[in-house]
Amino acid sequence: MVHHTMKISSSSAASASSRRSHIAGVVVKVAAAAILGTLASCAVPPAPMPLPDAPPAAPAAGPVIERQGARWVAVDWLALPGWFDDTLAGAWPALQRSCERPAPGWGALCAQALAATPVDDAAARHWLMQRLQPYRVEAADGSADGLITGYYEPLVEARRTPGGAFRVPLHAPPADLATRRPYWTRQQLDTLPAAQAALRGREIAYVADPLDALVLQIQGSGRLRVTEPDGRVQTVRLAFAGHNDQPYRSVGRWLIDQGQLPAEQASWPAIKAWAQRHPQRVNEMLWANPRVVFFREEPLPDPAVGPRGAQGVPLTPGRSIAVDPRSIPYGTPVWLDTTEPLASTPLRRLVVAQDTGSAIVGAVRADFFWGWDGDAEAQAGRMKQPLRMWVLWPRDAPR
């Protein structure tokens, strides 16, 4: 997915897909059972990992690794806050999915990870500590403090034909998208006859609220519960298929600059509430973001499988993040040290870098994927927390 974090901040390096856009810039306090994903399939059923008799000793620190805009500083395992408290077996499905497209240097380890499943958290921890080295992620200036935001996969009611409240179209890419760069802006597509003509016949479905269309574009993908003309209802996925090559502008930032919302209150729920109070200004707000995302429709045979991130593998709620791939390669396990949105509860867990986004720039910067169920929208829309992070890298892999 390529997303713009709908967070309400601008995309600074200190400040979660690939083709996607996000909301709070549209990237868990979910119980361990809720974040388990399906395991990667293998020709031979994976053998369980034996429980180690005792945890291995922490490996010795290695050298500093320089990456574009980032430094990785080798540390001891004890430097990872909460490392011995996470339900690490819950992260295994996300790791196995990344191992379907292993990063350079991960081939041998990924073959092992796909062939075995830990019997419990202790076995998963043993496996990781025996094979990987933790590195603290820092910016080029040595700062280890950064920002984490959140994203999710929206579920929106839709109709195949316009009628009643359902009059806001979602479009497939226009036929002439590649011939005009940049393409028409959002305002031009809404108002100019020539621009509107290019979209005619490209409608996938219609939603009732223009903010629902915006959130799908910011997140870069989503699910539609579509009522067909014959009355059948089916749920399909909208996947990112392109954009108009215009810059992304945060509507939250526009509201702050207009004096409509204080910066500390500019969350996605607050934006929606503002739009309900000021319906006559909704288009003005929407047109402040000239970028438009186009979609393709995909079947959704298994609702438990997430959208594909920039790595090309399905995202796992609570275990996938979007990163700046110049600083952290796709498929890298990452240890997070942050807090829950609107709470002081620590959020310390193992995740996997599987996505990116236009607002996800810098070394210590991540977008946390909350999923699609329950309070995913609320959590993603409010998440804007301080962050520290560590990468786990094979000891013998190229750096």
Side-chain angles (χ1 to χ4, degrees):
M1 284 168 87
V2 178
H3 58 267
H4 314 292
T5 282
M6 178 175 124
K7 233 60 208 174
I8 311 307
S9 61
S10 59
S11 58
S12 65
S15 351
S17 299
S18 33
R19 301 166 295 262
R20 166 183 86 225
S21 317
H22 256 45
I23 238 194
V26 212
V27 111
V28 185
K29 75 180 177 192
V30 180
I35 59 177
L36 291 176
T38 56
L39 299 180
S41 59
C42 303
V44 180
M49 291 183 180
L51 176 66
D53 295 331
V64 172
I65 299 174
E66 301 286 347
R67 297 191 62 88
Q68 184 175 349
R71 303 170 70 242
W72 294 1
V73 181
V75 298
D76 189 271
W77 287 99
L78 295 176
L80 278 57
W83 171 250
F84 292 95
D85 299 325
D86 187 26
T87 54
L88 290 177
W92 211 259
L95 178 62
Q96 288 186 317
R97 282 176 171 148
S98 276
C99 278
E100 296 170 7
R101 292 178 173 237
W106 277 84
L109 279 186
C110 274
Q112 296 176 34
L114 288 170
T117 299
V119 296
D120 58 17
D121 298 327
R125 187 172 294 108
H126 174 85
W127 193 96
L128 294 166
M129 292 177 70
Q130 288 292 325
R131 293 164 174 80
L132 305 177
Q133 166 68 44
Y135 293 83
R136 182 177 65 252
V137 181
E138 299 178 352
D141 63 3
S143 173
D145 297 322
L147 175 72
I148 187 168
T149 49
Y151 68 109
Y152 73 109
E153 186 179 30
L155 173 62
V156 179
E157 295 288 338
R159 302 289 186 271
R160 288 297 185 188
T161 57
F166 292 84
R167 296 187 175 278
V168 181
L170 302 167
H171 292 102
D176 63 342
L177 181 62
T179 67
R180 184 187 184 98
R181 293 190 179 273
Y183 203 67
W184 304 103
T185 67
R186 181 181 299 274
Q187 183 174 0
Q188 289 169 334
L189 287 168
D190 285 346
T191 60
L192 295 183
Q196 293 173 318
L199 294 179
R200 197 166 297 127
R202 310 301 292 177
E203 299 86 357
I204 296 173
Y206 296 82
V207 299
D209 187 340
L211 290 184
D212 285 340
L214 178 64
V215 76
L216 286 165
Q217 293 185 22
I218 291 175
Q219 300 296 335
S221 73
R223 302 180 183 204
L224 294 183
R225 186 182 289 116
V226 182
T227 300
E228 303 287 354
D230 61 3
R232 291 181 301 110
V233 178
Q234 63 170 333
T235 300
V236 300
R237 172 169 281 139
L238 283 188
F240 176 93
H243 60 68
N244 61 347
D245 206 32
Q246 296 284 348
Y248 171 76
R249 302 285 185 241
S250 165
V251 295
R253 171 52 57 188
W254 181 84
L255 287 170
I256 293 170
D257 293 343
Q258 292 285 311
Q260 296 297 305
L261 289 177
E264 66 274 11
Q265 296 179 18
S267 66
W268 186 240
I271 293 172
K272 294 174 71 174
W274 181 90
Q276 291 172 351
R277 296 193 305 270
H278 303 87
Q280 74 283 1
R281 297 195 67 187
V282 168
N283 275 343
E284 183 184 0
M285 178 184 71
L286 295 175
W287 292 342
N289 173 26
R291 173 165 291 190
V292 174
V293 169
F294 304 109
F295 300 101
R296 67 175 180 273
E297 181 179 326
E298 297 180 347
L300 188 64
D302 186 354
V305 176
R308 290 185 181 272
Q311 189 188 3
V313 301
L315 305 178
T316 301
R319 296 293 180 174
S320 297
I321 61 170
V323 298
D324 185 337
R326 297 171 300 179
S327 300
I328 301 176
Y330 296 138
T332 303
V334 178
W335 184 256
L336 300 180
D337 179 22
T338 184
T339 58
E340 296 277 352
L342 302 181
S344 58
T345 307
L347 179 58
R348 294 165 172 165
R349 64 174 52 187
L350 183 66
V351 296
V352 185
Q354 296 175 323
D355 208 355
T356 193
S358 61
I360 313 306
V361 179
V364 192
R365 181 69 173 94
D367 219 9
F368 187 89
F369 182 62
W370 285 91
W372 48 86
D373 288 332
D375 61 355
E377 177 182 1
Q379 292 288 72
R382 294 187 178 104
M383 192 172 199
K384 187 178 179 183
Q385 318 297 114
L387 171 69
R388 292 187 301 159
M389 56 200 303
W390 292 258
V391 296
L392 310 184
W393 198 251
R395 296 181 184 176
D396 300 326
R399 297 171 172 83

